[in-house]
Amino acid sequence: MHYRDWPYKREAEQAFRAREAEILVATSTVAAGVNLPARAVIVRDTTLGLDRVEVSMVQQMFGRAGRIGAGEREGWAFLLCDPAERAHWQARLAAGYTVRSRLDEHLPDHLLAETVQERLLTLEEAERWWAGTFAAYQGHDSVEPLHDAARFLALVGCLRPTADADRLEPSPLGRLTSRFMVDAAVADDMATALGQAPVPDDPLAAERALAFLLSTRLPVLEQAPFTERAKAALRRVLREAEDAEAETDDPWGIGPTEGPAPDGEQRPQAGDLARAVLLLAADRPRLFRGRPAYVLGIPVESMTGILEEARRYLAWLGAQGPLGTVHPWVAVVAADLALRIRWRALGPGRGAGRLLWMCERMATAPLAPRLVPRLWDAARARGIDAPDWRGTIPPGDCVLTPDRYRALLAERATGARLTLDGDTARVWAPPGAVVRLWDGLTVTTHVADGEETTHLFPPADPADPSAGRRGAAVFTRGDRLAAGPFEAYTAMRD
């Protein structure tokens, strides 16, 4: 047996490849991305739910039959259909399907990637690149979509304005957006929503707000499918969360939702179930410790795509702290939550992000999957809850050279002091660190010079519902510290 949420599908694949199992009953998950050669393939239906199966999918499944080099000399493929549709399907399969370029659907993302990698430096070079694409070959030869993409990237801050209007130069935000492979249009939508959102009261409200934003703005989350059993469990999670923390009906100002269902319960909204998955990872991390196959009866594998997509966008938001392109509370909370989601098998709680960041850097990217858990366990066994130790000798599992380790220590925000006192904040931060103060949605930015400095909080907008919610944060190259409501992200609390 083989289907998306089946926790033993890898074992089923291995048994079928080894011919220990003669028959594999599967859903369309075997259509792509799974190398399962077979002697015979039988497609038993021509619909998926209410939709007709695409010819490309049928041919993908037929392609498993009789693969040369996979131990088969011949193969058979069968499609079971209504006799009345036999001629129709024979014609469709014989005709095949035409591959169409979809480059224009995400042209800003592709253009940004080319400029970040310095393969395109001017609009003229971009026009020549466009002329050589498969999309242009198929008739999309107008350069207007390309110019529209460049204007859009400039509008959302991913391309810098330059003296030469023809030059394409990515901004720091553009480099981040491309590095995290974030959809530029989705990113702009998220930035607009975040720019209008009031500053939350506390970390719990902040994480609820980010979970709501991601689950309603990211298509992968908004449209995530679940089994009926999983839906029931996730709805219980939402009810518990709403009972624990009274949430507003419209925290992001997106307009009215549907009214209550006839039985008095709130109608499920798009993205609700994905939001419940994010709340589980944020609020109940111990459930994920040790890589269980199920959480609350839900296959963990069915949550993986949601959590990884959310983690990528959260990491992108968190990396913007020094840039000033998102509110400081967003960067502080998102950076912490992204790392907690990535390393959820360790069961890290709120505030663990800084220590996880340090463990990642000490392990280096290639060795992180193996070494981060060991570094984390060693730190926690010693009662360490943040990367603020005094010593300069690398831990046992650190793979950095002594010089690189000392350079990493210098990147920490360790030792930064933030004292909020009425209308002012006294700040000491390492030279070059970015200091950001806020009152509601109004934010000011300063660059630390290594001296203690007193800054005035910016005047809040009287129309801002979060006016009076003040805080401060220090951002270094990869670390951050906050004072005020989000000080909880400085270190993990058991």
Side-chain angles (χ1 to χ4, degrees):
M1 184 177 294
H2 190 289
Y3 63 92
R4 188 173 65 91
D5 290 342
W6 178 239
Y8 305 108
K9 66 182 181 182
R10 299 290 177 244
E11 290 83 348
E13 291 174 17
Q14 292 170 3
F16 189 70
R17 285 195 194 96
R19 296 300 185 256
E20 296 169 3
E22 295 184 358
I23 299 173
L24 183 69
V25 179
T27 63
S28 57
T29 55
V30 299
V34 179
N35 182 23
L36 283 178
R39 180 164 298 174
V41 172
I42 302 172
V43 181
R44 65 170 295 275
D45 209 343
T46 58
T47 59
L48 279 175
L50 299 177
D51 299 322
R52 185 184 292 272
V53 175
E54 293 291 333
V55 171
S56 58
M57 180 178 288
V58 174
Q59 292 184 332
Q60 283 272 15
M61 290 187 278
F62 278 6
R64 311 294 171 195
R67 288 195 173 183
I68 297 175
E72 301 295 347
R73 294 178 178 274
E74 55 186 351
W76 296 269
F78 305 90
L79 174 66
L80 306 185
C81 64
D82 188 290
E85 292 190 326
R86 178 175 178 177
H88 168 78
W89 274 102
Q90 284 178 327
R92 291 188 69 189
L93 289 169
Y97 65 97
T98 302
V99 176
R100 293 287 181 188
S101 171
R102 302 179 65 180
L103 181 64
D104 58 323
E105 295 178 14
H106 296 280
L107 187 52
D109 301 320
H110 295 291
L111 178 60
L112 180 60
E114 295 294 327
T115 59
V116 166
Q117 295 176 67
E118 298 184 351
R119 288 200 286 256
L120 300 177
L121 300 178
T122 66
L123 203 53
E124 183 180 355
E125 289 179 359
E127 290 175 356
R128 289 198 296 270
W129 165 78
W130 176 250
T133 63
F134 187 46
Y137 174 79
Q138 289 190 318
H140 300 283
D141 51 359
S142 170
V143 296
E144 194 55 35
L146 185 71
H147 291 189
D148 289 342
R151 284 191 289 268
F152 171 76
L153 291 171
L155 180 66
V156 301
C158 288
L159 290 180
R160 293 179 188 271
T162 60
D164 182 356
D166 189 53
R167 184 166 179 78
L168 300 173
E169 185 175 332
S171 66
L173 175 61
R175 293 183 183 280
L176 274 182
T177 301
S178 182
R179 170 187 158 199
F180 285 100
M181 294 185 290
V182 167
D183 183 297
V186 173
D188 180 52
D189 182 45
M190 291 179 65
T192 300
L194 285 167
Q196 298 169 350
V199 177
D201 287 316
D202 54 48
L204 181 64
E207 291 179 10
R208 294 280 193 272
L210 285 178
F212 181 90
L213 173 79
L214 294 168
S215 62
T216 54
R217 259 56 182 191
L218 299 183
V220 171
L221 274 64
E222 187 181 22
Q223 301 163 15
F226 290 96
T227 63
E228 290 304 316
R229 181 180 178 183
K231 288 178 182 177
L234 292 172
R235 288 187 185 115
R236 285 196 299 272
V237 171
L238 285 178
R239 284 196 296 269
E240 291 169 4
E242 288 161 1
D243 289 343
E245 177 72 16
E247 297 180 329
T248 61
D249 292 331
D250 189 18
W252 291 90
I254 61 172
T257 59
E258 296 182 43
D263 59 5
E265 290 190 7
Q266 186 70 24
R267 293 183 185 275
Q269 303 295 311
D272 272 357
L273 301 180
R275 178 163 61 100
V277 171
L278 295 179
L279 295 181
L280 273 179
D283 298 345
R284 303 164 74 175
R286 294 181 187 275
L287 293 176
F288 293 86
R289 180 175 289 174
R291 301 185 185 277
Y294 291 88
V295 167
L296 301 182
I298 307 166
V300 168
E301 193 162 324
S302 69
M303 304 184 194
T304 301
I306 291 169
L307 291 171
E308 290 305 308
E309 181 80 348
R311 179 186 70 82
R312 187 158 53 86
Y313 278 83
L314 286 167
W316 170 72
L317 291 170
Q320 294 181 54
L323 303 184
T325 43
V326 295
H327 196 286
W329 81 261
V330 174
V332 170
V333 178
D336 190 82
L337 190 52
L339 285 161
R340 285 154 53 198
I341 288 175
R342 179 181 183 186
W343 299 105
R344 56 191 176 275
L346 303 175
R350 183 176 296 135
R354 295 185 62 230
L355 182 56
L356 288 167
W357 165 76
M358 191 69 173
C359 291
E360 282 187 343
R361 295 294 304 276
M362 290 191 294
T364 70
L367 300 176
R370 179 168 60 90
L371 293 184
V372 166
R374 287 162 52 174
L375 288 161
W376 168 265
D377 288 343
R380 298 298 295 144
R382 290 169 173 78
I384 296 172
D385 55 16
D388 298 324
W389 51 81
R390 294 176 177 271
T392 58
I393 299 175
D397 283 312
C398 176
V399 299
L400 301 178
T401 64
D403 286 347
R404 288 181 62 196
Y405 179 69
R406 285 191 291 272
L408 173 60
L409 294 180
E411 290 181 23
R412 301 175 300 175
T414 300
R417 298 187 297 275
L418 295 165
T419 305
L420 310 187
D421 184 14
D423 292 334
T424 63
R426 291 198 310 279
V427 180
W428 182 90
V434 176
V435 180
R436 304 185 66 200
L437 279 65
W438 68 89
D439 187 335
L441 294 175
T442 308
V443 181
T444 54
T445 301
H446 311 272
V447 178
D449 59 5
E451 300 290 334
E452 184 171 87
T453 309
T454 298
H455 299 289
L456 284 170
F457 279 103
D461 182 347
D464 179 2
S466 56
R469 297 176 191 168
R470 291 174 169 175
V474 170
F475 296 95
T476 64
R477 182 179 176 186
D479 198 10
R480 67 262 160 209
L481 285 175
F486 304 106
E487 190 173 351
Y489 294 99
T490 298
M492 192 171 82
R493 301 288 181 258
D494 291 325

